[in-house]
Amino acid sequence: MTAIDLTFTAPATGAQSASRKRIIAIAMMCGAMICFTCLDTSAKWLGRELPALEVVWARYMAAAFFALFATRAFSRPRVLVSQRPVLQGVRSALLLGSTLANFVALRYLQLAETSTIAFLQPMFVALLAGPLLGERVGGARVGAIGAGFLGVLIATRPGTTAFQPVVLLSLAGVVCSALYSLATRSLAGVDSPETTLAWTQMAGVVALTPALPFLWVAPSSALGWALMAGMGLFASFGHALIILAHQRAPAPVLTPFNYSQLLWMIAAGLLVFGDRPPAATLIGAGVVVGCGAFLVIYEHRRRGTLIPENQIRGSDEAQSAIAK
């Protein structure tokens, strides 16, 4: 097997048409969302018998093997050297916090509920980009953010017996994810994608491995072991598909297909766990998805990122799609 090239340059396609490339890119994006659904489904399944920290560690350990192979770190140790190690460490810690919060929330919430909350991420990014990056919020941002939060309120129904306090932990995880995305923006053009990939995965292993002897519980079946190994592969393969998709089509074409994950999460929840999302969850999810898709596309247009396909190198989605 040869190592995977993670540089963000559009591959030569010869006579292949732009339309065909976009269709392939959309298929890759949908495939990535299926991978992420498998990741969360596996985490929810394992969370029924294993400690949350152990499940997160398993996800990082499997992904770290892929990262070291993909970046050829064994033969090119310089790839592990960062120009901004503090920011890389903070960014990796934010993703670790987001992953841990999500995996804990999955123990108590349906897959459809956690994915609905996760789709608030672009809204948190827009909200936090003002104070942290000096970007103007603007009326469109405020309206989309407000409507998105309204969608989550509809889906989670605070003040009723259906509300679960773990929703607040899930929201905290989304805040960590948004800050992680902003940190990724700051690293773009400073460290290579390979360096960021290696740091992101190895940081979780380094942080969690010392605690493992104190909480280890062996999976009770071969399926459990397989899911522990599969989580990292689902995450790594999903993000590899995202990177390849962004080499073939501009981000605004691909962004709406991120939200196809909600359909897969609903299907997985029904087939694997027998969860039937109530009407309020579906309505709230629809509001959040609509607001998120509008906001992301609006941001790209405002920042002038509707660019030719051979100039996608600076895409935030491609740069941040190296870990989940």
Side-chain angles (χ1 to χ4, degrees), residues 159-185:
T160 70
T161 56
F163 178 76
Q164 299 191 57
V166 75
V167 165
L168 301 177
L169 179 62
S170 186
L171 285 170
V174 177
V175 173
C176 287
S177 180
L179 292 171
Y180 155 83
S181 180
L182 294 176
T184 301
R185 283 192 196 180

Side-chain angles (χ1 to χ4, degrees), residues 201-226:
Q201 306 301 346
M202 292 306 300
V205 175
V206 171
L208 296 177
T209 298
L212 206 62
F214 303 100
L215 53 85
W216 176 262
V217 176
S220 60
S221 65
L223 176 61
W225 287 105

Side-chain angles (χ1 to χ4, degrees), residues 51-242:
L53 283 177
E54 182 180 342
V55 178
V56 175
W57 174 86
R59 172 257 180 270
Y60 271 99
M61 179 58 76
F65 279 110
F66 174 87
L68 293 176
F69 166 77
T71 60
R72 292 168 285 181
F74 294 112
S75 60
R76 299 187 306 151
R78 288 288 301 173
V79 79
L80 300 176
V81 178
S82 171
Q83 300 301 312
R84 299 188 65 181
V86 174
L87 183 57
Q88 281 282 11
V90 170
R91 175 184 174 279
S92 299
L94 288 168
L95 183 64
L96 178 59
S98 174
T99 303
L100 180 58
N102 182 49
F103 280 15
V104 172
L106 282 168
R107 290 170 174 258
Y108 307 100
L109 301 177
Q110 294 184 6
L111 291 171
E113 292 173 319
T114 58
S115 60
T116 296
I117 296 170
F119 286 142
L120 281 177
Q121 196 236 24
M123 282 158 264
F124 275 116
V125 170
L127 187 64
L128 295 171
L132 295 181
L133 300 182
E135 296 182 8
R136 181 175 175 272
V137 176
R141 278 181 170 180
V142 171
I145 292 167
F149 278 105
L150 176 61
V152 169
L153 292 177
I154 295 172
T156 58
R157 291 154 289 168
T160 70
T161 56
F163 178 76
Q164 299 191 57
V166 75
V167 165
L168 301 177
L169 179 62
S170 186
L171 285 170
V174 177
V175 173
C176 287
S177 180
L179 292 171
Y180 155 83
S181 180
L182 294 176
T184 301
R185 283 192 196 180
S186 299
L187 283 169
V190 178
D191 285 343
S192 69
E194 292 93 339
T195 298
T196 302
L197 172 61
W199 270 74
T200 303
Q201 306 301 346
M202 292 306 300
V205 175
V206 171
L208 296 177
T209 298
L212 206 62
F214 303 100
L215 53 85
W216 176 262
V217 176
S220 60
S221 65
L223 176 61
W225 287 105
L227 292 178
M228 288 183 71
M231 284 192 300
L233 297 178
F234 289 138
S236 299
F237 189 58
H239 284 293
L241 286 174
I242 288 180

Side-chain angles (χ1 to χ4, degrees), residues 219-278:
S220 60
S221 65
L223 176 61
W225 287 105
L227 292 178
M228 288 183 71
M231 284 192 300
L233 297 178
F234 289 138
S236 299
F237 189 58
H239 284 293
L241 286 174
I242 288 180
I243 291 170
L244 294 172
H246 279 277
Q247 291 175 347
R248 290 163 172 77
V253 172
L254 300 174
T255 294
F257 295 93
N258 288 340
Y259 298 99
S260 66
Q261 184 181 0
L262 181 60
L263 300 177
W264 300 118
M265 293 285 264
I266 292 173
L270 178 61
L271 295 175
V272 179
F273 304 106
D275 293 335
R276 296 181 180 272

